[in-house]
Amino acid sequence: MTINEIQEEIIEEFAAFDEWMDKYSYLIEIGNDLEGFKDEWRLEQNLIEGCQSKVWVHAELQDDKIIYSADSDAIITKGIIALLIRVLSGRTPDEILNSELNFVEEIGLKDHLSPTRSNGLLAMMKQMRLYAVAFKAKLG
Amino acid sequence: MAINIEQIRADFPILQETVYGKPLVYLDNAATTHKPQQVIDAVSEVYLKYNSNIHRGVHHLSNVCTQAHEEARIKVQQFINAQHSHEVIFTRGTTESINLLASSFADTFLNAGDEILVSQLEHHSNIVPWQLLEKKKGVVLKYIPINQAGELILDNLDELINNKTKLVAVAHISNALGTVNPIKTIINHAHNKNIPVMIDGAQAVQHVKVDVQELDCDFYVFSGHKLYAPTGIGILYGKEEWLNKLEPYHGGGEMIKTVSFEGTTFNELPFKFEAGTPDFSGSVGLGAAIDYVNNIGIDAIAQYEHELLNYATQRLSTIPNIRFFGTAAEKASVISFLIGEIHPFDIGTMLDKMGIAIRTGHHCAQPLMQYYNIPGTLRASFAIYNTKEEIDKLTEATERVAQLFG
């Protein structure tokens, strides 16, 4: 599936929720299920310190694809991270850099990405793109 | 005097607003309070009827505006029972008041090795301005530690206040925990050694009667916006003898007597510290807010808010796994808590969706959060317009949300 197809899939999943409470329950569920962030990555250099919650991001290249891993101390933040990873992880730098992420807005979570939320998510998305730029240069 | 809560709530238009289609439950009053119609009208009236620059105009409106601004100063003087109105300096808020004092006090009195004493529960505004002096002047910042209940430990006060101490600067009431500090004891200890004391009253003036002469503090600072007044206006009270000794803070108009390129002489108090055009609509708004508070009566407010605090403590206690931070014997209407290990951001986000505004995070008191080894807390803080029904909503919503994080 392409990045856009996965975005569409997520938008459809969320369209099934009538109540905001169901939407957040789902975010909490996938936030709780998000695994794979190794302790050795929990470093100062991987930390994005929001005023409200902390986010750690790690990225590595497997062949020509970027594998993202991330974690947060807040579960709702983790739930949104899980969605971002689902969309962007396992893609080439070009796919990531050419992508336009609209799903967060479409599923009604845009305010979580506003600078005033200060939960680290906006900075995390920027960091994911920066990794793509860096790996693209590395791959030549 | 009993509080007429319906009447009070009707005075605050914003309380009629809805959030995500739900009635607003505003419990973030330690961050800022809403404004009654009387304050909004007073500020509007400045711009509608007599806006003019003050203290220098010969014309009618300037005189009216100057008079309104200076009447507000007298209202503040009476509100905190200062001896003179020229001991009341208008600033932009508590933060600016402390920065003013730190800067001017350092210029006049501080040298390398001198100590400033704060406490472990201070807001960053009463830590960082002094830390800047550590870099600039080699001043050393010390702090009074707290116990698990969030009370200051005064056992070693005589060592902490020593011959190197040049100023003691502590909060009257903790913004994050609500602890009412024993400031009178601290002031007495400091004064026994001829050391001046600044009290950060940002969380106090809206909750308890403050009498600066009775306290005998040398400086007292607070913000208007937490006292139902507009943002951008605050107060630095200082004893005349101290203010006269301090160097000015900002230079500019208003604060001078004569200026030539050979040198400048400074204006007298309070104008020496009020460079530039002051926020006269803010001061008038602050005066109106003080009238509003006086009209209800600060003692009646204190009593009502205490009831709210007790009720909230009792109601919230029923939530499984609740952990309170700040259980001091003497508290103002602030409750800080966590539910088990659930991150405060998670619960705060969900409460927001339910129309309940509380504060989550470190409350600009990171050293305090480090003491408790937590990322932050959920903080509900009550004002004169809050009700027990709102506390019920907070309790029920928090319990419901906590179950989701199970």
Side-chain angles (χ1 to χ4, degrees):
Chain A
M1 276 204 280
T2 65
I3 285 182
N4 276 345
E5 282 165 353
I6 296 187
Q7 290 201 86
E8 282 305 317
E9 192 180 76
I10 292 172
I11 293 164
E12 266 179 46
E13 282 169 19
F14 273 76
F17 301 130
D18 293 335
E19 291 273 326
W20 68 269
M21 191 69 130
D22 298 335
K23 195 186 325 185
Y24 275 84
S25 298
Y26 180 63
L27 280 179
I28 292 165
E29 191 185 318
I30 60 174
N32 273 325
D33 290 346
L34 180 69
E35 288 174 344
F37 197 84
K38 295 181 185 168
D39 277 343
E40 65 202 64
W41 299 334
R42 215 171 292 277
L43 305 169
E44 192 70 25
Q45 72 219 45
N46 291 335
L47 174 65
I48 297 163
E49 189 117 27
C51 190
Q52 296 283 348
S53 58
K54 291 178 179 177
V55 173
W56 290 267
V57 188
H58 172 81
E60 61 189 22
L61 216 45
Q62 279 180 13
D63 300 325
D64 62 342
K65 295 189 171 62
I66 301 176
I67 306 299
Y68 291 106
S69 305
D71 197 7
S72 173
D73 54 353
I75 298 295
I76 292 173
T77 308
K78 259 179 97 170
I80 299 171
I81 286 174
L83 294 175
L84 286 167
I85 287 179
R86 184 169 149 201
V87 172
L88 292 180
S89 193
R91 305 280 161 188
T92 65
D94 275 332
E95 279 180 288
I96 292 159
L97 292 172
N98 294 329
S99 69
E100 272 190 44
L101 294 187
N102 66 339
F103 80 95
V104 179
E105 193 173 341
E106 292 290 324
I107 63 178
L109 295 175
K110 193 186 169 197
D111 62 338
H112 281 284
L113 297 183
S114 80
T116 54
R117 270 284 154 167
S118 51
N119 52 11
L121 278 169
L122 189 65
M124 174 191 164
M125 283 177 73
K126 281 185 190 153
Q127 188 61 36
M128 288 172 104
R129 281 186 82 83
L130 281 177
Y131 272 121
V133 171
F135 284 131
K136 183 180 159 78
K138 197 174 166 187
L139 288 167
Chain B
M1 193 181 83
I3 296 276
N4 182 346
I5 192 68
E6 284 83 24
Q7 177 59 49
I8 288 170
R9 286 185 71 81
D11 288 336
F12 290 82
I14 207 170
L15 297 179
Q16 306 308 317
E17 291 295 307
T18 54
V19 177
Y20 309 115
K22 299 178 183 73
L24 169 67
V25 175
Y26 185 82
L27 303 175
D28 191 17
N29 296 289
T32 198
T33 55
H34 294 310
K35 321 304 171 198
Q37 191 65 51
Q38 291 85 335
V39 167
I40 297 167
D41 287 346
V43 173
S44 294
E45 202 179 337
V46 174
Y47 294 113
L48 290 170
K49 293 186 178 164
Y50 58 88
N51 171 59
S52 269
N53 210 333
I54 61 171
H55 289 142
R56 22 198 175 273
V58 67
H59 57 82
H60 175 73
L61 288 190
S62 174
N63 286 333
V64 174
C65 203
T66 303
Q67 200 177 340
H69 179 70
E70 290 306 323
E71 274 172 10
R73 196 188 305 275
I74 291 167
K75 284 178 188 178
V76 175
Q77 177 207 348
Q78 291 167 347
F79 184 61
I80 59 173
N81 193 30
Q83 194 175 356
H84 308 288
S85 65
H86 59 251
E87 294 175 321
V88 172
I89 312 292
F90 286 118
T91 65
R92 286 186 299 155
T94 304
T95 299
E96 189 180 55
S97 297
I98 298 175
N99 277 280
L100 187 167
L101 180 63
S103 172
S104 294
F105 195 85
D107 286 346
T108 317
F109 293 111
L110 296 181
N111 294 301
D114 287 345
E115 292 180 8
I116 302 290
L117 182 65
V118 297
S119 88
Q120 201 169 7
L121 50 63
E122 298 305 317
H123 188 284
H124 295 163
S125 302
N126 194 27
I127 298 175
V128 183
W130 310 112
Q131 263 172 345
L132 291 174
L133 297 179
E134 287 189 305
K135 281 190 182 166
K136 271 190 209 157
K137 285 260 183 175
V139 169
V140 179
L141 185 62
K142 294 279 178 91
Y143 64 87
I144 305 169
I146 56 165
N147 63 22
Q148 201 65 27
E151 296 164 318
L152 300 186
I153 301 172
L154 300 183
D155 298 353
N156 297 323
L157 201 54
D158 277 328
E159 286 162 41
L160 287 168
I161 302 177
N162 57 52
N163 58 12
K164 288 184 194 155
T165 312
K166 289 293 181 292
L167 182 78
V168 179
V170 292
H172 192 163
I173 294 176
S174 155
N175 73 306
L177 306 178
T179 311
V180 180
N181 290 323
I183 51 171
K184 187 67 192 154
T185 309
I186 294 169
I187 292 165
N188 289 344
H189 272 264
H191 283 181
N192 283 340
K193 297 181 180 176
N194 293 318
I195 296 161
V197 179
M198 183 213 83
I199 302 297
D200 172 356
Q203 298 292 340
V205 285
Q206 64 277 48
H207 298 305
V208 293
K209 174 74 195 146
V210 171
D211 182 330
V212 291
Q213 292 191 70
E214 193 186 312
L215 284 171
D216 199 27
C217 55
D218 304 279
F219 304 97
Y220 195 98
V221 298
F222 63 94
S223 298
H225 72 96
K226 295 180 201 285
L227 178 66
Y228 312 104
T231 53
I233 190 81
I235 297 296
L236 164 66
Y237 157 82
K239 281 183 186 166
E240 181 183 34
E241 53 172 301
W242 278 109
L243 292 177
N244 276 330
K245 285 184 213 163
L246 297 182
E247 293 292 320
Y249 179 43
H250 290 154
E254 182 97 6
M255 52 80 72
I256 50 88
K257 192 176 280 170
T258 61
V259 177
S260 72
F261 283 106
E262 286 69 44
T264 292
T265 56
F266 301 120
N267 204 338
E268 59 198 19
L269 291 175
F271 310 114
K272 181 173 116 179
F273 293 104
E274 294 180 350
T277 298
D279 178 7
F280 50 79
S281 69
S283 62
V284 169
L286 177 56
I290 288 173
D291 286 343
Y292 186 82
V293 165
N294 284 339
N295 212 17
I296 300 170
I298 190 78
D299 291 333
I301 292 174
Q303 192 189 337
Y304 178 70
E305 289 179 344
H306 214 74
E307 272 175 43
L308 290 180
L309 174 72
N310 288 342
Y311 184 73
T313 307
Q314 183 198 329
R315 287 288 279 122
L316 290 169
S317 299
T318 62
I319 299 175
N321 300 320
I322 192 159
R323 303 151 68 196
F324 290 108
F325 296 89
T327 49
E330 277 214 55
K331 272 188 67 174
S333 55
V334 172
I335 295 191
S336 244
F337 62 96
L338 287 174
I339 311 292
E341 298 298 323
I342 306 171
H343 198 285
F345 174 78
D346 285 326
I347 293 190
T349 300
M350 303 294 275
L351 291 178
D352 169 54
K353 291 278 170 197
M354 298 161 104
I356 299 173
I358 60 163
R359 186 64 171 261
T360 67
H362 51 62
H363 317 297
C364 294
Q366 286 180 358
L368 182 60
M369 300 300 129
Q370 286 151 16
Y371 169 82
Y372 285 115
N373 195 25
I374 50 175
T377 69
L378 297 142
R379 183 190 68 185
S381 50
F382 311 110
I384 184 60
Y385 42 67
N386 288 125
T387 63
K388 289 183 179 174
E389 289 73 31
E390 290 179 311
I391 291 167
D392 289 338
K393 281 186 186 171
L394 169 70
T395 309
E396 285 150 22
T398 305
E399 190 161 1
R400 185 171 161 214
V401 164
Q403 283 166 356
L404 287 175
F405 294 94

